[in-house]
Amino acid sequence: MKWYKLSSTEMLKKTAAQKQGLNKQERESRLMKNGPNKIEEKKQLKTWQKIAKHFTDLLMIVLIVAALLKFATGEFVEGGIIFLVVIVNGFVGYWQERKAEESLDGLKQMMGQEATVLNEGQPIKIASEELVQGDVVVLKAGDVVPADLRMIEVHDLTIEESILTGESEAVEKSIAAIDREVLAGDQLNMAFSGTLVQTGSAKGIVVETGNDTEIGKINRALQSIQSQTTPLVKKMHQLNKQIFRGILALIVFLLFFTTFRYGMDWNLMFSASIALIVAMIPEGLPAVLTMILSMGVKEMAKENAIIKGMPAVETLGSMTVICSDKTGTLTKNEMTVTEVVTEEAPIVKEIMNNCQELKTQDDQAIETIQGNPTELALLKYIAEEKQSLKQVLGKIPFSSSYKYMATMHPADHEQVIFVKGAPEVLLEKADLTTEEKANWENQGEQLASKGQRVLGFAYKKVSPQEALTHESLSELTFAGLAGIIDPPKESAIQAVEKAQQAGISVKMITGDHKATAQAISKQIGLKHTSKILEGADLDRLSDEELAQQVEQVDVFARTTPEHKLRIVTALQKKEEVVGMTGDGVNDAPALKQADIGIAMGIKGSEVSKQAADMVLADDNFYTIIKAVKEGRRIFDNLQKTINFFLPTALAQGLIVILALLMNRPLPLTPIQILWVNMVTTITLSYALGFEGASKDTMKRPPRDTKMGILTGYSFFRIIYVSLLIMIPAYLLSMRFEGAALQQTILLQNIVIGQAVYMINCRERLDRSINRGMLKNKVLFISLGILISLQAAVVFLPIGQQLIGTTALSLGQQTVILGNALLLFFVVELEKRISKGIFQRKAKTVSHYNNS
């Protein structure tokens, strides 16, 4: 129902209401029929469901099956170790994600706790939940509007609606019906649930409650939006499928090849298959990735970026578009005088200081003054002047009906009238020639074209006997103009520049007016500012048409929550990774729909914070850029870690396969394989998570989201490194007699090879041993821990008994070290050759694109 279009009489008839209010019996009857004034709650996942989802990963399921098969064959120790690994990984994931978002709570808090209503003409207080359609609500300054109201009586009522509309300035309300289609921000005869009464008083009829209010509609939008799967999670699922298919293919191959060639014993084949699963599944990888992401969360918190879900850390690094609300995000959310046009500056400043209602004492600190944003902006502009207040002899308060305010003060042997208001009104009352008037009008238009709200200032000296009336405001002396705007933050301007250098597009989506949005967009440096789409334009576009235009437009004005949601969705259809920033309730649906929702921590509403994936504790847009850099660093380190894990896993799998193809016993037991995967590998790979960002981190474009976590070059590296680990190690172990000695030599070869290859993985193509290595203290600590653990396994009796190893001689250790150094130098040589090839290809592509 479009209540704003109805007259007061029609509205009272539709709601079956009376200006004296409903009686108690009628209210209770309607409450029973229509339900309480509260928004619908969404069922939350139970604790067991939250835990269970961390055990449904494909590779975790495979490991669970492997453990159960071990139990079925009576190998309880090995089965128990595998099962323990799965349980630890699952609970670590649950622990990190335990603070799931609950957007509904913030929305519930937005609705007032109590309301004053008329009960047969008498004001009474009732719980907001008990409000029903037809109730007459009494509002005063400081009240939170408890439901959607159609105003029937207003007295200088202004309501701050930025949480819903994004407009920074309070809206003056009226009771007149509106005969055209308008958005919520222009429905001047309505007061919306959750908004704040700034000045004045009023009465309004409850027309919508609960889910049917504007906040209720936002709640429904939030409920309908599914949480986005982050790029990292998608890539990890893809990687898991690739590993699973590879393991399955190898098992099937071995079943056929070994059975037909050697008549393989099925019990051995069964054990070999489990050994292959345990060897090739990097079960330690989830724990390491969790650790790296957790470290990223802590690092971002130091930079005032609070991450609510760990995968969001990496998503920041893959963002291609940042959609930002204007008010409070890109701008300061406080009106500021930016330009003053005058030839009588002292007089204009006197008018600013005295023709106002906020400051009443000279010693009143500007920081403590609250109220009308326009007057507050004028007082801040002249704060350093330290002017004394003049005695007020008369006052005409501001009203939208006549669009000015006037005050009268003593001045020597006469009186002076100060007037401020709409320039067109003051110019009509001023004593000006046609040419002078045209000049002032032109100056005002120039300020307005910059998106500024323009105020005029005038004065008039009168005799001591004259009273201040509307009629006395004629033949004024026009003193000047002031342009007021909510200006952009300097940090936001820098952030936009940095984002564009990193290949990230920035778009402004605001509920503010077109001219203001365009002015701010130019000041902060957005690229496409000539064409602006307003909410009405978006309504005329289909989803397909919007998807075609959304990438060529950087500014969207007069938008509703539904518009913001459509814009974000349209960008996602174009395969953009979308970040959405905002601070109001109106931003919540788009924040939740975005790949990474970013809320303001100081001025942001509780709803926006809980709908978002990240909260900026300092409300600084530049913090997003710091977070993007950290996100990119983290993804680089994740790739390094995965590229480190997989060659070792493949090498262990190849050793099992080689033994089966040669009809020999399994070279390593499942416990020895788990030792490598869960102890040594985790110890080493932690170090890669502490690597710093590379020099080109914020100068390269975002990653292509279609690319998997492993590139073609990664596969090449994984295959040849696994062969370099496997072949020398296996051949060396076969030179000695005794299963324990062979297994120990093989195990030691793999471990030392891992340690050396971890250093290789510090840099993708550059030299691994550099100055940056000295900054990573964790690297040396991890190597020290590894050496200690491995020495305990090889030389201490308890370690030998648990893992099944034996002591090695100095000569055997020397040969093993030689194998590791061979691996290191071969990888370093390959990196140098590959870097040259990639650089030549890049130059060729660049030359082709420029020609």
Side-chain angles (χ1 to χ4, degrees):
M1 175 67 69
K2 296 175 181 177
W3 298 101
Y4 62 90
K5 284 190 171 185
L6 303 182
S7 67
S8 296
T9 304
E10 292 172 325
M11 185 267 303
L12 288 169
K13 185 177 179 181
K14 282 277 186 185
T15 58
Q18 297 180 352
K19 290 187 177 182
Q20 291 77 26
L22 304 175
N23 58 40
K24 184 178 180 181
Q25 292 75 20
E26 179 63 23
R27 183 180 299 106
E28 289 178 350
S29 173
R30 295 190 185 192
L31 191 61
M32 287 288 294
K33 180 180 178 181
N34 300 319
N37 175 37
K38 64 179 184 179
I39 59 177
E40 182 182 352
E41 297 190 32
K42 186 177 182 179
K43 289 184 179 180
Q44 299 294 318
L45 288 177
K46 296 178 180 178
T47 302
W48 71 266
Q49 292 173 314
K50 294 177 182 179
I51 296 174
K53 73 177 183 178
H54 293 280
F55 294 92
T56 56
D57 180 88
L58 178 61
L59 297 187
M60 290 298 102
I61 292 173
V62 173
L63 282 175
I64 290 171
V65 172
L68 293 175
L69 292 175
K70 279 291 183 183
F71 288 140
T73 58
E75 298 177 14
F76 298 108
V77 175
E78 294 180 353
I81 291 174
I82 297 172
F83 205 61
L84 181 62
V85 168
V86 173
I87 291 173
V88 169
N89 278 326
F91 276 98
V92 166
Y94 166 70
W95 181 254
Q96 292 290 350
E97 298 290 348
R98 71 191 184 282
K99 293 181 180 178
E101 60 175 312
E102 295 178 350
S103 304
L104 188 61
D105 288 346
L107 282 169
K108 289 162 67 178
Q109 293 171 15
M110 290 303 303
M111 306 183 79
Q113 301 299 308
E114 279 191 333
T116 301
V117 299
L118 294 184
N119 183 55
E120 296 182 322
Q122 297 300 312
I124 62 170
K125 285 189 177 294
I126 64 170
S128 293
E129 285 191 4
E130 297 177 10
L131 283 174
V132 295
Q133 189 180 73
D135 263 327
V136 179
V137 175
V138 179
L139 298 176
K140 65 180 185 304
D143 285 347
V144 174
V145 180
D148 284 3
L149 312 177
R150 171 68 161 81
M151 309 316 298
I152 58 172
E153 183 180 320
V154 296
H155 303 282
D156 297 323
L157 180 71
T158 60
I159 297 182
E160 199 263 296
E161 298 179 338
S162 64
I163 60 168
L164 283 176
T165 66
E167 292 191 51
S168 55
E169 193 165 357
V171 179
E172 186 173 359
K173 295 297 182 176
S174 64
I175 62 172
I178 301 170
D179 59 3
R180 65 187 188 282
E181 295 282 337
V182 293
L183 300 176
D186 294 318
Q187 293 174 20
L188 302 182
N189 55 16
M190 295 288 296
F192 299 109
S193 178
T195 58
L196 177 66
V197 178
Q198 193 173 88
T199 63
S201 60
K203 293 177 184 177
I205 302 291
V206 174
V207 291
E208 302 290 0
T209 61
N211 284 337
D212 295 322
T213 62
E214 288 297 310
I215 281 183
K217 293 174 186 176
I218 292 173
N219 173 60
R220 288 204 299 270
L222 282 171
Q223 302 246 16
S224 65
I225 297 169
Q226 298 296 320
S227 297
Q228 300 298 305
T229 304
T230 66
L232 177 62
V233 172
K234 292 177 183 176
K235 289 180 174 70
M236 289 308 299
H237 287 165
Q238 182 183 357
L239 178 62
N240 289 345
K241 289 178 182 178
Q242 291 171 336
I243 294 173
F244 176 73
R245 289 168 185 162
I247 293 171
L248 193 62
L250 287 174
I251 290 175
V252 172
F253 167 74
L254 288 175
L255 280 171
F256 283 96
F257 182 86
T258 56
T259 301
F260 285 112
R261 181 159 185 177
Y262 299 114
M264 179 70 70
D265 182 275
W266 283 100
N267 288 331
L268 178 60
M269 193 64 224
F270 179 75
S271 298
S273 296
I274 293 178
L276 189 62
I277 289 171
V278 175
M280 293 193 65
I281 290 180
E283 52 274 291
L285 186 58
V288 173
L289 296 185
T290 298
M291 180 278 302
I292 293 175
L293 290 172
S294 181
M295 286 195 307
V297 170
K298 291 180 181 178
E299 288 300 314
M300 288 186 179
K302 293 178 183 177
E303 298 289 348
N304 293 310
I306 312 301
I307 301 293
K308 294 171 61 180
M310 285 192 299
V313 176
E314 183 275 334
T315 309
L316 279 163
S318 59
M319 267 199 310
T320 59
V321 177
I322 301 176
C323 293
S324 177
D325 180 45
K326 177 183 71 68
T327 306
T329 307
L330 296 173
T331 64
K332 297 178 179 179
N333 197 20
E334 58 181 46
M335 300 302 289
T336 304
V337 177
T338 54
E339 291 186 62
V340 175
V341 181
T342 180
E343 293 180 357
E344 298 184 71
I347 287 292
V348 169
K349 290 179 179 179
E350 273 197 83
I351 299 172
M352 290 180 179
N353 190 52
N354 292 281
C355 190
Q356 49 86 24
E357 296 182 299
L358 299 184
K359 188 176 181 181
T360 57
Q361 297 176 353
D362 288 333
D363 59 353
Q364 208 170 344
I366 191 69
E367 297 80 12
T368 64
I369 301 175
Q370 294 182 340
N372 185 285
T374 300
E375 289 195 350
L376 196 55
L378 299 177
L379 290 173
K380 286 182 178 179
Y381 178 73
I382 60 167
E384 294 183 0
E385 299 286 324
K386 305 292 185 182
Q387 291 190 36
S388 296
L389 293 171
K390 293 179 178 291
Q391 180 185 355
V392 180
L393 302 176
K395 180 188 294 183
I396 299 177
F398 179 84
S399 171
S400 58
S401 60
Y402 46 83
K403 297 184 179 180
Y404 58 78
M405 174 185 181
T407 55
M408 187 163 67
H409 313 272
D412 295 331
H413 302 295
E414 54 188 350
Q415 298 180 128
V416 62
I417 297 173
F418 290 152
V419 190
K420 73 175 183 194
E424 64 273 17
V425 175
L426 269 59
L427 286 172
E428 286 297 325
K429 293 179 176 291
D431 183 15
L432 296 169
T433 65
T434 303
E435 185 179 346
E436 288 172 333
K437 181 180 177 183
N439 179 57
W440 282 117
E441 288 175 342
N442 181 54
Q443 301 267 29
E445 288 171 2
Q446 289 181 27
L447 295 178
S449 68
K450 299 175 184 178
Q452 299 175 17
R453 181 189 174 194
V454 185
L455 274 181
F457 301 90
Y459 67 95
K460 179 181 180 181
K461 293 184 177 180
V462 295
S463 67
Q465 293 77 31
E466 189 165 344
L468 176 59
T469 63
H470 290 287
E471 290 72 24
S472 63
L473 301 180
S474 60
E475 297 185 347
L476 301 175
T477 302
F478 197 84
L481 299 167
I484 302 175
I485 197 170
D486 179 14
K489 300 174 182 175
E490 288 298 324
S491 58
I493 297 173
Q494 297 171 12
V496 169
E497 182 182 2
K498 292 285 186 182
Q500 291 170 347
Q501 288 176 0
I504 302 171
S505 174
V506 180
K507 298 182 184 295
M508 179 195 294
I509 310 176
T510 179
D512 219 331
H513 292 276
K514 181 176 181 178
T516 305
Q518 188 170 44
I520 295 296
S521 68
K522 289 179 179 178
Q523 290 178 44
I524 64 174
L526 298 190
K527 288 185 176 180
H528 307 111
T529 60
S530 57
K531 182 177 181 180
I532 295 176
L533 288 180
E534 294 185 278
D537 302 320
L538 297 176
D539 290 335
R540 289 190 287 269
L541 295 175
S542 66
D543 290 343
E544 291 72 23
E545 291 170 333
L546 178 58
Q548 293 301 316
Q549 292 200 36
V550 74
E551 290 188 308
Q552 283 74 48
V553 177
D554 281 353
V555 186
F556 301 86
R558 303 303 284 165
T559 56
T560 64
E562 291 78 12
H563 293 143
K564 296 183 180 187
L565 187 59
R566 282 190 68 200
I567 293 165
V568 170
T569 304
L571 285 165
Q572 289 173 328
K573 285 182 179 178
K574 301 296 286 185
E575 298 184 344
E576 302 282 2
V577 178
V578 183
M580 172 71 195
T581 75
D583 60 356
V585 176
N586 60 320
D587 300 317
L591 287 172
K592 189 172 181 181
Q593 173 66 34
D595 297 284
I596 176 79
I598 307 165
M600 301 296 114
I602 299 173
K603 294 184 178 178
S605 67
E606 192 66 23
V607 183
S608 65
K609 293 176 194 176
Q610 293 184 350
D613 303 290
M614 182 175 86
V615 178
L616 303 183
D618 57 359
D619 281 15
N620 192 340
F621 192 79
Y622 194 83
T623 301
I624 299 173
I625 304 305
K626 295 179 183 177
V628 168
K629 183 178 181 179
E630 181 67 14
R632 292 188 177 188
R633 182 191 73 85
I634 288 168
F635 185 79
D636 288 346
N637 289 346
L638 289 175
Q639 275 195 315
K640 292 173 185 177
T641 302
I642 292 169
N643 286 330
F644 164 67
F645 257 102
L646 297 185
T648 305
L650 181 57
Q652 293 174 101
L654 291 176
I655 289 171
V656 173
I657 293 168
L658 183 63
L660 293 173
L661 294 179
M662 296 175 66
N663 200 20
R664 296 181 64 87
L666 294 177
L668 292 174
T669 66
I671 289 179
Q672 290 170 340
I673 292 171
L674 283 171
W675 168 261
V676 174
N677 286 357
M678 286 301 295
V679 182
T680 62
T681 306
I682 291 177
T683 303
L684 292 172
S685 55
Y686 275 169
L688 294 174
F690 288 87
E691 288 294 317
S694 60
K695 294 180 180 179
D696 68 338
T697 298
M698 293 301 288
K699 294 181 180 178
R700 61 180 189 241
R703 297 185 310 278
D704 185 352
T705 54
K706 295 180 181 178
M707 291 179 62
I709 204 163
L710 295 177
T711 63
Y713 174 66
S714 298
F715 281 110
F716 163 70
R717 171 84 73 82
I718 289 167
I719 291 170
Y720 91 77
V721 169
S722 64
L723 292 173
L724 280 174
I725 293 174
M726 182 268 291
I727 295 174
Y730 190 75
L731 293 178
L732 179 62
S733 67
M734 290 299 100
R735 291 173 53 190
F736 300 93
E737 296 295 331
L741 181 58
Q742 289 179 346
Q743 289 172 346
T744 305
I745 289 175
L746 187 56
L747 186 68
Q748 189 79 336
N749 259 286
I750 294 173
V751 170
I752 301 302
Q754 277 184 292
V756 168
Y757 183 58
M758 185 267 289
I759 298 174
N760 287 126
C761 288
R762 286 192 60 254
E763 299 286 351
R764 180 170 176 264
L765 294 174
D766 294 324
R767 286 184 299 135
S768 300
I769 299 179
N770 51 31
R771 291 183 179 180
M773 185 174 177
L774 299 175
K775 296 179 181 179
N776 190 349
K777 296 178 181 178
V778 177
L779 183 146
F780 297 100
I781 294 172
S782 65
L783 287 173
I785 294 173
L786 173 67
I787 292 170
S788 301
L789 289 172
Q790 193 62 18
V793 165
V794 174
F795 296 109
L796 294 181
I798 187 172
Q800 293 172 349
Q801 188 176 355
L802 285 173
I803 306 299
T805 56
T806 188
L808 298 177
S809 67
L810 180 61
Q812 291 164 343
Q813 295 276 26
T814 302
V815 176
I816 291 171
L817 182 60
N819 284 344
L821 291 176
L822 174 65
L823 168 65
F824 178 81
F825 288 116
V826 169
V827 173
E828 288 299 297
L829 178 61
E830 175 272 314
K831 285 162 62 175
R832 188 170 184 178
I833 295 170
S834 297
K835 183 177 181 180
I837 293 172
F838 288 139
Q839 286 177 341
R840 286 194 293 273
K841 283 185 177 180
K843 287 180 181 178
T844 302
V845 171
S846 177
H847 176 73
Y848 176 78
N849 290 336
N850 293 332
S851 61

